[in-house]
Amino acid sequence: MRVRRMLTKTTNTTMTLLMLGVAATPALLGVSASPAVADSSPSASPSGDGGAPTEAGTSFRTATEIEQGQQATASGSTGDYLYWSFPADAGQRPTVKATVKLPDPSTRNAAETWQIDVYDGLRRRQACQYGAQTRTAARDAAFATLSCTLRTVRAWSDTWANDPLPGTYYIRLTATGLGSSDLGLPVSTEVKVDSKDIGGAAAVDGSLAKPLVPGIATSAEQSDSDSDSTTAALSSLEPDDGWASGWWSDRWVWTAIGGILAALAGIGGYALTRGSGRPSRMPPGA
């Protein structure tokens, strides 16, 4: 009878510990949700001039800066190269969408093919994971819609790889294969960049010393007069919490939860086996 009571007591203790562990899991998840939200994509608030950009650059060096979530507009001509730039941090999967309002059909002689390309801070062309990167619009079409979803930005990568890394990204929009009679026709464009936070699934063990922002590591040497050094950064936009803000990921949470559950299971197993393995102290014939 004493052994039976002991087994019943240890079983109840084990069940209580397991229930406490399960009850603690939502609380841990609630704690982890706050940093994940804080490390989301850069702010979509309007730029310093009071609104979204209304023009595009004509080269990498003159690319118009846009923040994620902003809808930038620009007017141009068929045959022009239109450039924008935006920041992307580790753990984000950017999606670039562009809409082109085509010239009046009566002024066009053939169909038009539009293409959107995305380059990183080293001007390496990044492959689209999915999306209509190239779109051919019929002669009577009024709009052409393109999209490009990049691979998830990694915090670190091998030097020989072409993985997306934190830093500035460039968008280039242009029409290809135009005849001479279709060059120079007026068009208007809309471009927007959004990101999905992938979280711990994309976390890697490593980080860059500096984000791939052109010019961020170029600084003037201090003169003998102890003047302050200057940094020649060609892009001024960055995530709200700074670069490499995605150091926190839900991998930390699930690792902690797994450790707690494993410890509780070990305690429960020990409590069960300890009671059943002890010899009875009752005298013979009792």
Side-chain angles (χ1 to χ4, degrees):
M1 294 296 293
R2 184 180 300 174
V3 173
R4 183 177 298 175
R5 287 196 217 98
M6 186 179 300
L7 288 175
T8 303
K9 182 177 181 180
T10 54
T11 302
N12 293 336
T13 303
T14 303
M15 293 300 297
T16 302
L17 290 173
L18 290 176
M19 291 177 66
L20 288 174
V22 173
T25 300
L28 289 174
L29 289 176
V31 172
S32 66
S34 298
V37 173
D39 294 337
S40 59
S41 60
S43 171
S45 60
S47 57
D49 58 359
T54 57
E55 59 182 12
T58 56
S59 66
F60 286 102
R61 293 185 62 86
T62 61
T64 298
E65 296 181 348
I66 61 174
E67 296 182 357
Q68 291 191 26
Q70 279 187 328
Q71 181 168 290
T73 59
S75 299
S77 302
T78 52
D80 290 344
Y81 286 91
L82 305 178
Y83 288 83
W84 295 267
S85 66
F86 67 93
D89 206 358
Q92 295 180 346
R93 180 184 294 168
T95 297
V96 180
K97 296 181 179 180
T99 301
V100 182
K101 184 178 180 182
L102 302 173
D104 188 271
S106 61
T107 62
R108 307 200 313 257
N109 297 317
E112 293 184 2
T113 300
W114 286 82
Q115 180 171 319
I116 189 170
D117 297 301
V118 183
Y119 299 83
D120 65 8
L122 298 179
R123 300 186 186 180
R124 302 177 302 179
R125 184 176 179 273
Q126 293 295 318
C128 297
Q129 192 174 25
Y130 52 86
Q133 183 180 6
T134 302
R135 180 82 70 178
T136 299
R139 180 180 176 182
D140 58 348
F143 296 92
T145 304
L146 306 96
S147 66
C148 174
T149 299
L150 301 178
R151 295 170 294 168
T152 303
V153 178
R154 296 164 57 90
W156 179 87
S157 178
D158 292 308
T159 55
W160 48 264
N162 193 36
D163 296 321
L165 295 170
T168 301
Y169 283 78
Y170 294 94
I171 305 170
R172 185 179 73 181
L173 178 65
T174 189
T176 61
L178 294 174
S180 58
S181 58
D182 289 330
L183 293 174
L185 299 178
V187 294
S188 59
T189 62
E190 295 180 355
V191 174
K192 187 177 182 180
V193 181
D194 292 302
S195 283
K196 179 180 180 181
D197 191 355
I198 303 303
V204 295
D205 296 330
S207 61
L208 298 180
K210 294 287 185 180
L212 299 183
V213 177
I216 197 172
T218 304
S219 60
E221 296 182 356
Q222 281 190 325
S223 63
D224 296 336
S225 59
D226 295 330
S227 62
D228 294 335
S229 62
T230 59
T231 300
L234 301 181
S235 180
S236 60
L237 294 181
E238 64 178 39
D240 288 341
D241 297 332
W243 292 108
S245 58
W247 66 271
W248 173 272
S249 71
D250 52 11
R251 289 176 62 181
W252 296 84
V253 180
W254 291 113
T255 300
I257 293 174
I260 293 174
L261 294 179
L264 293 176
I267 294 173
Y270 173 76
L272 288 173
T273 57
R274 183 186 61 176
S276 60
R278 296 179 61 185
S280 175
R281 296 182 181 179
M282 296 178 66

